[in-house]
Amino acid sequence: MPIQIGAKTHNFSDPTGLLSDCHRRIEMFLSSLESVAAVMDRPAEVETRRGLETALRYFSQAAPKHTADEEDSLFPRLRQNRSAEVESLFSQLDRLEDEHRWADPLHADVELLGARYLLTGSLSATEVERFRSAVASLTALYKRHIILEDTVIFPLAARLLTKSEKMEIAEEMARRRSVAPAPQIDL
Ligand SMILES: [Fe+2]
Ligand SMILES: [Fe+2]
């Protein structure tokens, strides 16, 4: 069965398409967290618990693979491309990596408080505020981050990277998810 990372499915010949699919999934689970945050001052209902569990699992297990796809597979190959066009974006790539680090403590807050809510069924007013604030900060951070990647970095990579570089990236992405790489298999 093909493994799908997101609403739309791209295949191995288009790794930046696969990465954009991941963005749609990040947006979807952030929206789930926002819905949970809105009702967190009340005892958890079954639907809320389910949405929170799924979103927490995504951000703890799948999202770090997306970051690794970018930091370990895509960005290094882009940096090797010595065109003036890419070099003018080096500071943007550094900034994107900084933002991955800035998101970490916010994700840690969401994970800690979300797990506590699932365990005890309620949070203090201070904890609810902290959860809401972390989700709002993540939403704002990802919004500008994803726009830059989707509209500048990924199109540039799709244009400048060679077919074999794209295949190497796709193979590394598949390996992170223990999927057998094959051009026609959706990741
Ligand atoms: Fe990123
Ligand atoms: Fe990304």
Side-chain angles (χ1 to χ4, degrees), residues 2 106 125:
L106 298 168

Side-chain angles (χ1 to χ4, degrees), residues 23 66 70 149 154:
H23 289 167
H66 176 79
E70 293 175 348
E149 290 180 344
F154 294 175

Side-chain angles (χ1 to χ4, degrees), residues 14-24 66 69-71 74-75 78 89 93 96 100 145-161 166 173:
D14 182 11
T16 50
L18 291 171
L19 291 171
S20 279
D21 287 346
C22 288
H23 289 167
R24 304 294 79 78
H66 176 79
D69 293 338
E70 293 175 348
E71 294 193 358
L74 180 65
F75 294 175
L78 258 185
L89 288 174
L93 292 175
L96 288 168
H100 292 159
H145 186 97
I146 282 174
I147 285 175
L148 177 61
E149 290 180 344
D150 276 348
T151 65
V152 179
I153 305 298
F154 294 175
L156 186 71
R159 192 155 49 81
L160 295 183
L161 295 181
K166 288 177 188 173
M173 291 172 70

Side-chain angles (χ1 to χ4, degrees), residues 130-171:
R130 206 171 120 203
F131 185 91
R132 286 175 176 164
S133 161
V135 170
S137 298
L138 279 174
T139 302
L141 189 154
Y142 275 113
K143 193 173 177 191
R144 59 174 189 269
H145 186 97
I146 282 174
I147 285 175
L148 177 61
E149 290 180 344
D150 276 348
T151 65
V152 179
I153 305 298
F154 294 175
L156 186 71
R159 192 155 49 81
L160 295 183
L161 295 181
T162 64
K163 205 172 170 185
S164 70
E165 284 173 323
K166 288 177 188 173
M167 188 53 72
E168 285 166 12
I169 291 170
E171 283 170 357

